[in-house]
């Protein structure tokens, strides 16, 4: 584990909330000063991370456009089919809940009448 994590100095890098360390943080390991990160190094690290994140987002946007143009009609139909299925399941849950509630009311009535 990195020295800045072993020394309980919390890394402000948002990429590893789980406690693991990314490669950019690892590359700054030798640049720690008394358990503290050099703010210039931290800034450089953050710029690098922002670059990679922006690049990934750009790639995703490009892929989404192409997927929509090629698969759009099929995915629309698949989405409609899923919505139709989920709507039926949703309504069935409400019906089941109503049946359960009706049963409990009848059961309560039977028990209260039996004690009179």
């Amino acid at each position: 584990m990195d020295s800045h994590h072993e020394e309980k100095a919390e890394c402000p890098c948002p990429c590893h909330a789980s406690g693991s360390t990314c490669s950019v943080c690892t590359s700054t390991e030798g640049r720690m000063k008394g358990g503290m990160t050099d703010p210039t190094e931290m800034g450089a690290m953050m710029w690098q991370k922002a670059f990679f994140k922006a690049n990934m987002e750009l790639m995703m946007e490009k892929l989404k456009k192409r997927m929509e143009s090629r698969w759009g009609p099929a995915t629309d139909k698949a989405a409609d089919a899923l919505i139709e299925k989920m709507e039926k399941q949703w309504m069935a849950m409400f019906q089941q809940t109503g049946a359960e509630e009706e049963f409990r009311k009848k059961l309560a009535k039977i028990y209260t009448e039996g004690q009179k």
Side-chain angles (χ1 to χ4, degrees):
M1 191 180 268
D2 287 350
S3 62
H4 68 285
H5 289 288
E6 290 174 357
E7 296 175 21
K8 305 286 186 209
E10 193 167 324
C11 177
C13 171
C15 74
H16 51 86
S18 66
S20 62
T21 306
C22 66
S23 61
V24 178
C25 287
T26 302
S27 70
T28 63
E29 182 178 335
R31 300 175 192 141
M32 305 297 287
K33 296 180 180 177
M36 303 287 287
T37 303
D38 178 344
T40 304
E41 291 300 325
M42 183 58 68
M45 179 180 70
M46 291 169 68
W47 275 106
Q48 283 183 317
K49 286 178 179 259
F51 170 82
F52 290 120
K53 183 177 180 184
N55 193 25
M56 182 70 75
E57 289 172 4
L58 174 65
M59 290 176 188
M60 289 171 44
E61 290 170 17
K62 296 290 186 177
L63 284 172
K64 284 181 181 181
K65 287 178 185 177
R66 282 160 178 79
M67 292 165 76
E68 177 63 33
S69 70
R70 291 185 184 191
W71 302 340
T75 55
D76 287 341
K77 289 176 185 176
D80 289 341
L82 177 65
I83 292 295
E84 191 176 304
K85 171 203 163 280
M86 294 305 293
E87 184 177 37
K88 288 177 183 176
Q89 285 182 330
W90 189 254
M91 295 310 293
M93 288 189 315
F94 278 115
Q95 290 172 352
Q96 180 66 32
T97 301
E100 287 292 328
E101 187 178 328
E102 184 179 336
F103 168 71
R104 293 186 191 303
K105 285 180 182 178
K106 285 181 181 179
L107 193 58
K109 184 177 181 182
I110 291 169
Y111 286 155
T112 56
E113 288 176 351
Q115 293 189 7
K116 291 183 182 179

